[in-house]
Amino acid sequence: GAEIDVQKSDGVTALMVAATTGHKQVVNLLLRHGAEINKQNSSGDTALVPFPELENQGITVSRRAGDTVISVPTEITFGSGKATVSKEGRRALASVAARLKSDFPDDSKFHIEGHTDSDPIKKSKFKSNRDLSIQRAMAVLQFLVSESRIPDGRFVVAGYGEYAPVAPNQGAQKGKNRRVEIVVKDRQ
């Protein structure tokens, strides 16, 4: 077999080549050995090499404390104040599910984490932002289990409400806080 000797600074190139050519074993090996882009966002996540089919839909993939974080903005998946997955959301989640199935070992655990902004609930049926975030995370779980056939036992669901923002909860930035994250837990 071919040997890959990549320094961290060159790992980005190798990871990009591996990701775009579909070599999932190489991608996982490089990720385990720290091949990351040295660019952190405001929440301290390290951005990974782009996954075009996800990024083209507005989904980001990053690393946080050794875990892979797939962040899906709720503007893609849900209507305002709603917890029913939209048509566009179903397409986006199908792309995420394909990655979960192809790029991670069968015993990987996935945490589905719902997040909201801090605007109080006024017109929807939900009691609180936490309630909305839990229901959205549950809707994503139902899609991934029922439609994508990923075993239910691989998931943990959490609703953070407005309590884990990635941006200030004011102005144009607050929309970044409305998201569902699928966190692939590091197995080490």
Side-chain angles (χ1 to χ4, degrees):
E3 244 182 76
I4 298 176
D5 184 17
V6 178
Q7 300 296 325
K8 275 192 178 189
S9 62
D10 224 13
V12 171
T13 304
L15 185 56
M16 187 177 310
V17 169
T20 58
T21 59
H23 290 90
K24 70 179 180 179
Q25 293 87 358
V26 175
V27 171
N28 288 329
L29 177 69
L30 288 167
L31 289 175
R32 279 193 214 105
H33 287 89
E36 299 175 341
I37 294 174
N38 292 325
K39 181 179 112 185
Q40 290 192 340
N41 64 20
S42 61
S43 64
D45 297 346
T46 303
L48 291 180
V49 171
F51 291 99
E53 77 283 4
L54 298 181
E55 288 204 347
N56 289 340
Q57 297 177 74
I59 300 166
T60 60
V61 182
S62 60
R63 297 278 285 172
R64 183 188 311 142
D67 298 330
T68 300
V69 180
I70 301 168
S71 186
V72 185
T74 57
E75 67 190 31
I76 295 171
T77 45
F78 302 102
S80 180
K82 306 238 185 288
T84 302
V85 179
S86 67
K87 192 175 193 178
E88 182 183 5
R90 295 173 70 77
R91 282 192 298 273
L93 290 174
S95 297
V96 169
R99 279 295 187 163
L100 294 177
K101 290 162 124 180
S102 69
D103 291 2
F104 300 98
D106 289 343
D107 61 346
S108 294
K109 297 292 183 191
F110 309 122
H111 289 205
I112 302 174
E113 302 175 351
H115 300 272
T116 67
D117 60 28
S118 61
D119 290 352
I121 299 287
K122 292 180 183 171
K123 297 180 184 175
S124 76
K125 66 180 182 176
F126 302 102
K127 297 177 203 157
S128 66
N129 279 319
R130 185 170 319 263
D131 184 28
L132 175 60
S133 68
I134 290 169
Q135 294 306 313
R136 286 178 170 173
M138 288 298 296
V140 170
L141 170 72
Q142 292 304 317
F143 180 87
L144 294 173
V145 170
S146 300
E147 303 292 322
S148 301
R149 308 238 185 271
I150 300 174
D152 191 26
R154 295 179 70 186
F155 293 98
V156 172
V157 175
Y160 286 86
E162 71 266 29
Y163 300 111
V166 293
N169 264 312
Q170 53 203 347
Q173 294 292 316
K174 96 171 134 183
K176 294 178 181 180
N177 294 323
R178 298 186 295 263
R179 68 203 186 281
V180 174
E181 293 179 336
I182 298 146
V183 181
V184 184
K185 300 307 283 183
D186 184 17
R187 297 174 11 192
Q188 297 180 3

